[in-house]
Amino acid sequence: EPGEENFPRVGKLDSAPASRAALHGAIWDLAARQAGRSLARFLSVRIGPRRGTVLRSVPVSALLVASDPDELREEAARVRAAGYRAAKLKLGAATLAEDVARSRAAREGLGAETRLRGDANGVWDTRQARAALDALGEFDFEYVEQPLHADDIDGLAELRRRAPVRIAADESVATEQGALRLLAAGAVDVVVLKPATLGGPARALEIAEQASRAGVGVVFSHTFESAVGARHALHCAAAWADPTGIHGLVTAGLFESDVAPPVDCHAGFADVPAAAGIGIVP
């Protein structure tokens, strides 16, 4: 039976979350296979109170990559036509005018119903972030990820109180310690959780539960890793059992080759394998 007391302590494993996630993920996968259940169903029973019916397919977001506003508008329109209900746009261009132009194009292409998410990857300082979020408010972003540096927890908390756009954190919750600090400070509206940086799927779900109790939204994602890691994140999202949540899980097409079939999606949803464990058949 998986449990922290049963996991081996190997040197500095606790300070190497990706290695810890790989080991813990393998053990959870093995236990789920032995139980004859998918990892999502196995996790839903073992980690805290069951939130609802485990999802058989998980809503996923698209990533908008075009730089030119006209091309971006067309790309966003294709995303909407493909059935995605959310799309992420990278922010933090050389000028605020570029971010505004690209955000306007993305919103026009997506239409009013598709969620638009921004991600600044911590490139702004406090002054720039305030100006940017004020300027971007008209485009109805669902949230903007990491407008400030990951370590600026106090700055994020202050920005959240003043900004017209909801604030999400990605790099700030890349460690267990960072996630707990962020929640304690009430610094964000949404956390983007990656099992690979948090020590594994079980720990990611435990932190998600803490976030939910604090009134903070939860999105699961990956670190652009192999199909194995991405499937762990997919099973976390399925076990989380929030049918309204939209997660960043797609890896198909990102790599020239992979160790197994990647997480793929159709019409904005990623199917959760029904096979035991994470669903990779040897």
Side-chain angles (χ1 to χ4, degrees):
E1 179 73 14
E4 288 294 326
E5 69 280 1
N6 297 325
F7 285 122
R9 299 291 179 179
V10 182
K12 298 181 179 179
L13 194 60
D14 284 344
S15 61
S19 297
R20 182 168 174 256
L23 177 60
H24 285 208
I27 293 173
W28 278 99
D29 178 37
L30 177 61
R33 289 172 186 267
Q34 291 176 336
R37 296 181 178 180
S38 71
L39 179 61
R41 293 189 179 280
F42 195 73
L43 286 168
S44 73
V45 173
R46 297 304 191 277
I47 304 300
R50 188 163 178 171
R51 298 177 55 85
T53 302
V54 174
L55 301 182
R56 299 178 63 181
S57 61
V58 174
V60 294
S61 62
L63 178 62
L64 301 173
V65 299
S67 298
D68 177 76
D70 290 335
E71 294 177 0
L72 179 60
R73 186 180 297 105
E74 294 176 0
E75 181 186 20
R78 291 194 297 271
V79 163
R80 178 182 61 177
Y84 287 92
R85 294 186 291 167
K88 179 190 283 191
L89 177 68
K90 291 291 185 178
L91 300 171
T95 67
L96 178 54
E98 291 179 66
D99 276 337
V100 169
R102 295 181 70 248
S103 297
R104 177 174 286 109
R107 174 49 70 200
E108 290 171 353
L110 292 175
E113 300 302 320
T114 305
R115 303 183 197 181
L116 176 58
R117 298 169 171 180
D119 187 357
N121 288 116
V123 302
W124 294 324
D125 61 25
T126 300
R127 179 187 61 79
Q128 292 170 326
R130 288 176 179 172
L133 295 180
D134 285 343
L136 298 175
E138 66 174 291
F139 303 117
D140 191 27
F141 277 87
E142 181 185 8
Y143 57 72
V144 170
E145 279 181 45
Q146 214 59 59
L148 298 176
H149 189 272
D151 293 332
D152 192 0
I153 304 300
D154 292 338
L156 283 171
E158 177 62 24
L159 191 64
R160 182 193 181 199
R161 288 190 285 268
R162 301 181 52 169
V165 179
R166 297 169 77 227
I167 304 300
D170 181 350
E171 288 85 354
S172 291
V173 291
T175 66
E176 296 180 53
Q177 295 79 8
L180 298 178
R181 281 182 58 209
L182 198 78
L183 294 175
V188 291
D189 300 287
V190 177
V191 289
V192 180
L193 302 180
K194 299 174 179 177
T197 68
L198 294 171
R203 186 56 179 147
L205 281 167
E206 289 168 353
I207 292 175
E209 188 63 43
Q210 294 182 53
S212 180
R213 288 198 297 267
V216 174
V218 172
V219 171
F220 287 99
S221 189
H222 55 73
T223 59
F224 292 97
E225 58 209 87
S226 76
V228 174
R231 283 169 179 253
H232 276 100
L234 172 64
H235 282 272
C236 279
W240 187 240
D242 177 7
T244 66
I246 301 178
H247 305 274
L249 303 172
V250 179
T251 57
L254 296 178
F255 308 113
E256 290 186 0
S257 61
D258 207 335
V259 298
V263 173
D264 201 356
C265 78
H266 304 279
F269 287 82
D271 290 335
V272 181
I278 61 174
I280 294 177
V281 179

